[in-house]
Amino acid sequence: MLLHRIQQHFVDGADLQYQCAQAVSPAVEAAVSALLAGLTGGGKVLALGSGVSAALAQSFAAQLVGRFERERPELAALALGTNPAFTTGAVLGNEMIAWPVVRQLRALGQPGDVLLVIAAAAPSADVLAAVAAAHEREMVVVALTGARPSDLPDALKDTDVLVTVPAERPARVHEAHLVVLHAICDAIDVQLLGDDTEAEIIGP
């Protein structure tokens, strides 16, 4: 019983990856174009997520600043909400700042930057506020969601990109989002460095 349940995780994950290869790839390609336009135009990527999605945002930012699988010049990226001193203790007068990540975005975001939103479940009100703040700063938004993106699609502009994974179970969505982010990193490297057929792949 337990062995079958463990095996089913791999089967379900593989099934979803196959679905995503067909259904999600065009949106991922559009996301790559949006991110590259920002990065090569002198902008930066500000990544935002909560819970496991926050870890994915941090990993993605690290791979842009550092490297994915090949050495290349640093790309400007930062994961928002990673400073506990700010996100848990920032105060304005005697009141806790509402949605400190939104304030961080307003402080750091500039026209030409890209906000990357990663949300496995229905995006919360602070995520929607972050999208609005990004638009105030004339930023493009790339959003990765699950099958229930709630009000997020209505908050996006025509110039934004929505990548919707066809799954609702958070664990499966996180797995698919990781593959999406790796595909984006690889595509960015190919666009900047050329095909990697004969290039040395460097491990972590």
Side-chain angles (χ1 to χ4, degrees):
M1 177 66 179
L2 184 58
L3 178 61
H4 174 74
R5 190 178 184 91
I6 292 170
Q7 292 172 335
Q8 195 62 44
H9 277 277
F10 292 97
V11 172
D12 291 347
D15 285 346
L16 178 59
Q17 302 301 343
Y18 183 80
Q19 292 179 53
C20 288
Q22 306 301 317
V24 176
S25 294
V28 175
E29 185 177 28
V32 171
S33 296
L35 289 162
L36 267 175
L39 290 167
T40 58
K44 59 185 174 293
V45 176
L46 299 177
L48 171 63
S50 61
V52 174
S53 295
L56 293 179
Q58 287 181 281
S59 176
F60 183 71
Q63 288 168 333
L64 290 185
V65 174
R67 64 167 188 264
F68 177 54
E69 292 182 328
R70 291 189 284 167
E71 291 291 354
R72 55 152 165 71
E74 299 81 1
L75 299 174
L78 177 70
L80 299 175
T82 60
N83 184 345
F86 181 76
T87 57
T88 65
V91 294
L92 183 61
N94 293 322
E95 299 293 331
M96 186 70 72
I97 293 177
W99 300 330
V101 171
V102 175
R103 295 181 66 90
Q104 192 178 22
L105 175 61
R106 287 174 177 155
L108 299 175
Q110 298 290 334
D113 291 346
V114 179
L115 173 65
L116 173 67
V117 173
I118 308 173
S124 56
D126 57 334
V127 170
L128 297 177
V131 170
H135 288 154
E136 291 173 6
R137 293 292 187 269
E138 299 180 26
M139 298 171 60
V140 170
V141 178
V142 172
L144 310 186
T145 73
R148 293 184 179 275
S150 187
D151 296 329
L152 183 57
D154 293 333
L156 299 178
K157 295 183 175 181
D158 292 339
T159 51
D160 297 330
V161 180
L162 177 64
V163 180
T164 303
V165 170
E168 296 182 19
R169 187 175 180 181
R172 296 287 86 84
V173 178
H174 290 314
E175 292 163 5
H177 281 173
L178 179 59
V179 176
V180 167
L181 294 172
H182 284 171
I184 290 173
C185 286
D186 177 70
I188 288 175
D189 281 359
V190 169
Q191 291 297 304
L192 295 178
L193 305 175
D195 195 288
D196 64 349
T197 303
E198 299 181 1
E200 179 184 0
I201 301 300
I202 301 174

